[in-house]
Amino acid sequence: MRLFITKKWHWSNIALLKWSALFIGMILGAYFHEVVVKNTWAVVIVALLFALRPARAYWKDDD
């Protein structure tokens, strides 16, 4: 079984994955709200770091 494989997903599958990730994040944020509120800047920095790679891949030229 290969763990990392390249697949072309339908837009609806990607949307469902994003919504499920959003809901899981909301549940975890509600459950661990004391930790999240205390470390708001750390959470923001981690979120921005996670967004860098996909943003770079999106705007990168494939020359």
Side-chain angles (χ1 to χ4, degrees):
M1 181 176 100
R2 295 181 308 169
L3 183 59
F4 299 109
I5 57 176
T6 303
K7 286 190 155 247
K8 184 172 172 110
W9 284 25
H10 192 265
W11 67 267
S12 62
N13 290 336
I14 296 170
L16 289 173
L17 178 66
K18 288 183 176 193
W19 278 105
S20 65
L22 174 74
F23 290 141
I24 290 171
M26 289 170 54
I27 291 168
L28 290 175
Y31 189 73
F32 296 110
H33 68 277
E34 296 95 3
V35 176
V36 173
V37 169
K38 267 196 270 185
N39 302 309
T40 302
W41 286 111
V43 172
V44 169
I45 290 170
V46 168
L48 290 174
L49 288 175
F50 282 171
L52 282 177
R53 184 169 185 252
R56 183 175 162 256
Y58 180 76
W59 281 299
K60 181 180 141 187
D61 290 333
D62 288 337
D63 292 339

